[in-house]
Amino acid sequence: MSKISRRKLITTGLAATAGASGLAVAAKLGERYGLMPPDSGGLYGAGETLTYAAQRILTRHSLAREFAASQISKEPFANEVAPLGDGFQRLQRSAFADWRLTIDGMVARPASFSLAQLKSFPSSTQITLIACEEGWSYIAEWSGVPLSHILNLVGTLPQVRYVVYRSIQPDWWESIDMADALHPQTLVTHGMNGGELPVPFGGPLRMRVPRQLGYKNVKYITRLTLTDSLKHFGKGLGSASPEGGYAWYAGI
Amino acid sequence: MGFRPWSEIVGQTAGTAREMPDGPPVSSSVSLPVHNGRAMGTFSQMTDSVAGGTSASAVPATILRPRHSVLVRVTHWLITLSFLALLVSGVEILISHPRFYWGETGNVNTHPLFTLPIPSSRNTVATGYGYVLPDQNGWSRYLHFESAWVAVLTGLFYLAFGFCKGHFRRNLLPARSDLSPKPLAISIGRHLRFKRPSEEEAWSYNALQRLTYLLVIFVLFPLVIWTGLAMSPAVESAIPAAVIALGGRQSARTIHFFVSGFLLLFLFVHVLMVCLAGFRNRVRAMITGRPPQLRSEYEQDLSA
């Protein structure tokens, strides 16, 4: 057997130390500049971190493609959701007149807006594609209030880094970073293809994040929480998706 | 029996080379041959000693480097690992929607280009099977993208060093004379008849191999990466032309599927050819860099 030479041992030791400290510095820098996703740990954390960091460096301000009216899908597909509960059906009977969107957390002026109030806010319309992680897609015209407008109304505290949003459906919640939350195409959507947003497509209120896959576009949203850390939400992985085995960042 | 790295063996004298763990048995009384006044420890010398003093004429005496460079060996196995992971996870993702479309959009309400006759992991897809497979998309997607990073970074590293070191020019670019129809036809005929490669071919790639590897490296892999990236909504927002040029997101997905199929076909043929050429030898050459054991030498050695 060959003996391990002293030089080899020292070189290997130095390389390992340099590599480990390099990774530690990279992680610190990543944390500092918001390049670490909340599900950056574990077996797949390295891949997720690379993806999220690369997208934040390269595509922070890019706009999702907008399509012509002629390209709107004639047969959009509304994915299945768990059976809607009594609370939802009660609100549905009164045409969602009592549906409210509560905004809390790190805000200067916590607020709760009715559907009518939200519809009175400046509205934005976009014809964008929604793609499911399964592979299918459709194009629709979406109308709603830019999330950034709502965040301005309530006054975001400077340390805020994420917006957590919840569905009226139990255990259905997601979060996005401020790059997506303040993005002009991120809409609190209440209209689709010129009409009300149909219930199967998330009506009365759906979060629309066109630069991420379908599952970040939570249906039936009732609450936004602004926070500087996702550690204390659920299992601390960022949203319900990683808890169910799916990536937190779905921009890929 | 453990393998020692080829470089380690090359660096040793012919005397110690006798201890080469899995070479043919060499009598300890074999004297150290000195050919053409070469210094000890060169490749040709060691081959001589291993081969029990046979002529080195079957081996180009100028070859002093391993059969495959470290770059090729390391990147080969990294790509192998990541490709297998991409394949398994890709199939898992695929079965959540085994329908394909052309253009920007497509879903269960629209007419598909074609449907794979397999069961699905979603009950929203009508497959004709009476059951729904378990959802494996979570870990499959995590693994798919992590492996894609390994494959892409390895590929970039391979390309950069391959160009700098002349790997593509030297090892993969076919000679002009090999590209005329006749030698190509002969080579194709030999492959179709599953002929064992000749011994000289163990030392470099034949024209058909070169063309295939170039196709895989410079056409299929770039295409599968491009079509994969075209399915990323964030990438699409940054580089819409990458999706438009393919005809839309669903076209990208369909092309991704077919290119993956071609890569899988390549994998099958590649492994089949490795088996045909001598699995142990070729795999060892790709791990340790040690060149394939030449059959005639081995036989001569056994009969000696």
Side-chain angles (χ1 to χ4, degrees):
Chain A
M1 272 317 294
S2 64
K3 233 172 53 185
I4 299 169
S5 74
R6 181 179 302 177
R7 181 191 294 191
K8 216 171 190 174
L9 201 69
I10 292 171
T11 324
T12 314
L14 279 178
T17 314
S21 39
L23 276 179
V25 169
K28 269 264 181 288
L29 282 176
E31 200 61 59
R32 166 85 180 72
Y33 291 101
L35 303 178
M36 302 288 283
D39 54 349
S40 64
L43 188 57
Y44 306 117
E48 274 313 297
T49 306
L50 278 171
T51 301
Y52 179 62
Q55 296 291 11
R56 276 300 157 261
I57 291 167
L58 300 173
T59 68
R60 182 174 289 268
H61 300 293
S62 61
L63 291 173
R65 267 177 82 195
E66 300 212 14
F67 296 85
S70 61
Q71 287 174 287
I72 293 173
S73 296
K74 296 187 177 52
E75 294 160 317
F77 175 65
N79 208 1
E80 285 187 342
V81 293
L84 295 160
D86 288 343
F88 184 90
Q89 283 166 7
R90 212 168 27 247
L91 289 162
Q92 189 173 16
R93 276 194 290 274
S94 58
F96 302 116
D98 299 321
W99 190 280
R100 298 197 79 83
L101 180 68
T102 306
I103 300 109
D104 56 20
M106 294 180 165
V107 293
R109 297 170 293 278
S112 176
F113 299 117
S114 70
L115 204 56
Q117 273 177 302
L118 287 167
K119 284 178 179 171
S120 72
F121 291 157
S123 163
S124 172
T125 295
Q126 51 171 268
I127 300 173
T128 50
L129 182 144
I130 185 163
C132 180
E133 54 88 18
E134 295 163 9
W136 51 270
S137 59
Y138 64 88
I139 293 171
E141 183 194 77
W142 312 88
S143 308
V145 190
L147 178 58
S148 60
H149 180 80
I150 296 174
L151 297 187
N152 279 338
L153 282 181
V154 295
T156 308
L157 298 186
Q159 67 268 36
V160 170
R161 290 180 62 191
Y162 302 98
V163 175
V164 178
Y165 45 105
R166 295 169 195 281
S167 170
I168 196 169
Q169 296 277 77
D171 304 321
W172 196 6
W173 61 285
E174 275 295 342
S175 64
I176 45 175
D177 64 9
M178 295 316 276
D180 270 322
L182 298 175
H183 190 271
Q185 287 171 313
T186 300
L187 298 187
V188 174
T189 310
H190 50 65
M192 179 179 169
N193 294 341
E196 300 279 300
L197 181 62
V199 169
F201 288 94
L205 221 48
R206 180 179 198 177
M207 186 64 82
R208 189 72 188 99
V209 190
R211 296 192 309 169
Q212 295 204 40
L213 291 175
Y215 67 82
K216 295 298 275 193
N217 297 251
V218 171
K219 295 171 177 175
Y220 324 119
I221 54 168
T222 54
R223 189 174 160 200
L224 311 178
T225 306
L226 282 67
T227 178
D228 62 344
S229 166
L230 294 166
K231 282 208 177 76
H232 305 293
F233 292 85
K235 292 179 184 165
L237 296 171
S239 67
S241 293
E243 294 178 9
Y246 282 79
W248 172 77
Y249 179 67
I252 318 174
Chain B
M1 247 192 281
F3 299 128
R4 275 187 292 167
W6 169 242
S7 56
E8 201 176 292
I9 295 162
V10 166
Q12 289 169 344
T13 62
T16 52
R18 267 178 265 139
E19 300 159 14
M20 209 155 68
D22 63 338
V26 179
S27 156
S28 60
S29 65
V30 166
S31 59
L32 302 181
V34 177
H35 280 281
N36 310 328
R38 275 187 174 280
M40 293 212 290
T42 64
F43 172 72
S44 70
Q45 208 168 22
M46 203 207 65
T47 309
D48 284 348
S49 88
V50 167
T54 36
S55 158
S57 61
V59 182
T62 47
I63 292 183
L64 293 168
R65 58 166 66 101
R67 169 66 190 95
H68 301 292
S69 65
V70 180
L71 168 77
V72 169
R73 282 180 277 147
V74 171
T75 53
H76 174 272
W77 292 114
L78 280 174
I79 292 287
T80 307
L81 265 181
S82 52
F83 182 74
L84 291 177
L86 281 160
L87 193 65
V88 171
S89 55
V91 169
E92 285 291 358
I93 297 166
L94 164 70
I95 62 172
S96 70
H97 198 84
R99 293 159 57 97
F100 289 88
Y101 314 90
W102 198 257
E104 294 291 353
T105 58
N107 57 61
V108 289
N109 291 338
T110 57
H111 196 70
L113 194 63
F114 62 95
T115 303
L116 297 181
I118 56 168
S120 172
S121 59
R122 295 293 187 278
N123 61 4
T124 46
V125 184
T127 57
Y129 292 84
Y131 54 91
V132 175
L133 295 170
D135 171 24
Q136 306 289 336
N137 274 25
W139 66 264
S140 297
R141 297 178 62 82
Y142 267 129
L143 179 61
H144 203 72
F145 305 135
E146 189 159 69
S147 317
W149 271 109
V150 175
V152 166
L153 293 177
T154 306
L156 290 176
F157 186 79
Y158 171 75
L159 283 183
F161 275 80
F163 275 116
C164 290
K165 302 263 182 186
H167 166 63
F168 300 113
R169 185 171 32 77
R170 198 176 52 237
N171 299 327
L172 291 181
L173 202 66
R176 192 169 287 256
S177 58
D178 286 342
L179 287 180
S180 45
K182 208 169 164 202
L184 268 187
I186 292 170
S187 186
I188 290 170
R190 283 180 58 88
H191 278 83
L192 288 180
R193 276 176 281 127
F194 294 125
K195 283 254 192 188
R196 266 186 89 99
S198 66
E199 289 181 348
E200 309 88 73
E201 282 185 292
W203 292 96
S204 89
Y205 300 127
N206 62 51
L208 219 50
Q209 271 180 298
R210 287 170 187 246
L211 289 176
T212 309
Y213 292 153
L214 287 177
L215 179 76
V216 167
I217 294 163
F218 290 104
V219 179
L220 294 186
F221 264 107
L223 205 51
V224 88
I225 292 165
W226 174 13
T227 51
L229 284 173
M231 282 186 272
S232 149
V235 170
E236 183 180 11
S237 70
I239 321 167
V243 183
I244 295 166
L246 294 168
R249 180 192 163 82
Q250 292 298 339
S251 310
R253 181 171 176 262
T254 301
I255 300 169
H256 194 72
F257 170 74
F258 279 113
V259 178
S260 307
F262 280 120
L263 283 170
L264 184 60
L265 178 69
F266 165 76
L267 178 68
F268 278 136
V269 175
H270 180 61
V271 172
L272 180 70
M273 290 296 149
V274 167
C275 290
L276 221 60
F279 187 79
R280 248 179 86 85
N281 269 332
R282 299 304 163 106
V283 171
R284 183 181 56 200
M286 194 45 95
I287 294 171
T288 65
R290 212 178 111 189
Q293 183 83 52
L294 298 186
R295 205 151 52 119
S296 65
E297 285 185 6
Y298 186 71
E299 278 160 4
Q300 276 179 30
D301 193 80
L302 286 181
S303 62

